[in-house]
Amino acid sequence: MSKRIAIVGGGYIGVQLAKSLDEHADVTLIEPRSHLVHTPAMIRAVVDPSLTDRALIPYDRLLKNGKVLRARASGVDANGVTLENGQRVEADYIVVATGSSNATPFKPVGDDIEGLREANQRIHDQLMAARSIGIVGAGAVGTELAGEIAHAMPDKKITLISDTDRLFPTMPEKLGIALVGKLRDMGVNLILGKRAENLQSMTEPYAGSLTLSDGSEYEFDLIFPVLGSRASSELIEVLPDTQMSTANRVKVDPWLRPSSLPNVFAAGDVSDAGDGMTIVAASRQQPWLKSTLKALMAGKTLEEVKPYKPWGPKAPILVPLGPKRGSSFLGLFTAGDWVTRKMKGEDLFLKKYYKLLNQG
Ligand SMILES: Cc1cc2nc3c(=O)[nH]c(=O)nc-3n(C[C@H](O)[C@H](O)[C@H](O)COP(=O)(O)OP(=O)(O)OC[C@H]3O[C@@H](n4cnc5c(N)ncnc54)[C@H](O)[C@@H]3O)c2cc1C
């Protein structure tokens, strides 16, 4: 009889793992949303709402043998998963991939896909009416957002604010320098090394004033708080012997286990395996999980399996500034407009994920 694998969360880890194990095990993917939210396209969707529909990819054709159960998990234990409606999914192995939440309109609140569509349109309308835009937080999302708005709406007065002295401070310096140069060239005003002290909302764009850590004050027609992802770790933080990390993530051992339950794994944004909270991290964890679960199903012990090795500081990152420009770090070297455009900026990986979810 094939082994039962329950995967909680149909984000980048969940969908890829479920599909890759569909022929090898009895797979159940538990996911309350009707669609995968393809986050790389949700930034450009703020300037082009017609992209929102394309960024929402239905789950209905993902699996041939296993099933996608439209439900929210409320508990995990060594024997399986309990759903919010009280139903049980018994399993031999459980993978928790509940990901993270982010600000509106980049990710839905809970499973509210319709609410995400509405928020996207509402904030687009506010952006159209605004003249001055403040973006607080210059990680990948904040930097890309500044580039998308500057490209699509060159008449807007955009200010990108970061509390770090340079962009992408953990990456090779060349990347941040190139992005600063391109953003300035596109008319974006950068304020680096200063904190916004009085954000009225950490998750919703609003009109108002900002006081920065040096006492300076700015008025904006629209302020986007873009402060990073926060892990959805409720299911695993209550398991025995777990340890919390930053951004609400849970630490995992070298075999991606968050607790002392030997058959419960956690991957992606929810777990801190030494990787960043990116799809790039998922792209390394998912193949490791697939081969590890296959080895366990074939009778190997976990100690016989090579531990997971995170990307470390060489994880690649692609930062488009609109569909034409951008800069990237590809592990060994930095690349400019052409490579960034071809690898990400033009298509935002949409084709790849339509294919993965078996949607034409
Ligand atoms: C705007 C934006 C743009 C981004 N662009 C990029 C990019 O270009 N490249 C890149 O590498 N990374 C990017 N990222 C980061 C990337 O989106 C995340 O790293 C990625 O989504 C993490 O995948 P995941 O599978 O861990 O979780 P998620 O994608 O967050 O998916 C988690 C899933 O779990 C489900 N879930 C949650 N709780 C439960 C529960 N109790 N029961 C059942 N299901 C549950 C959720 O509904 C969700 O579908 C971006 C992030 C944002 C916000």
Side-chain angles (χ1 to χ4, degrees), residues 179-302:
L179 286 164
V180 166
K182 288 176 192 186
L183 284 166
R184 289 206 167 120
D185 189 48
M186 294 166 86
V188 175
N189 174 32
L190 276 116
I191 300 180
L192 300 176
K194 286 172 196 157
R195 269 176 65 85
E197 302 281 11
N198 62 337
L199 273 173
Q200 277 171 36
S201 169
M202 309 287 261
T203 54
E204 281 268 345
Y206 62 93
S209 63
L210 280 181
T211 306
L212 304 190
S213 42
D214 63 351
S216 58
E217 287 193 26
Y218 298 83
E219 286 286 333
F220 294 106
D221 298 333
L222 195 58
I223 299 170
F224 283 89
V226 194
L227 303 167
S229 299
R230 197 157 173 81
S232 308
S233 56
E234 305 77 28
L235 291 180
I236 39 176
E237 61 194 40
V238 294
L239 297 180
D241 308 313
T242 53
Q243 258 186 293
M244 297 307 285
S245 171
T246 50
N248 219 27
R249 302 174 97 188
V250 175
K251 287 191 181 157
V252 285
D253 74 4
W255 291 274
L256 302 188
R257 294 176 304 177
S259 71
S260 48
L261 301 182
N263 59 336
V264 175
F265 300 83
D269 281 5
V270 75
S271 70
D272 184 355
D275 286 315
M277 295 169 93
T278 63
I279 301 167
V280 171
S283 75
R284 178 172 281 216
Q285 293 174 11
Q286 178 270 327
W288 182 89
L289 272 170
K290 177 194 166 187
S291 59
T292 298
L293 288 168
K294 280 177 72 179
L296 294 178
M297 289 190 284
K300 279 199 177 169
T301 64
L302 204 56

Side-chain angles (χ1 to χ4, degrees), residues 8-14 30-33 39-40 42-43 59 71-74 97-100 102 106-107 110 141 144 229 232 234-235 267-270 277-282 318 344 349:
V8 187
Y12 292 87
I13 283 280
I30 301 161
E31 169 58 56
R33 294 178 188 158
T39 48
M42 290 308 296
I43 305 172
Y59 287 111
R72 178 171 291 279
S74 59
T98 44
S100 62
N102 205 286
F106 303 121
K107 275 193 168 184
V141 178
E144 284 187 37
S229 299
S232 308
E234 305 77 28
L235 291 180
D269 281 5
V270 75
M277 295 169 93
T278 63
I279 301 167
V280 171
L318 301 148
K344 179 172 170 189
F349 314 125

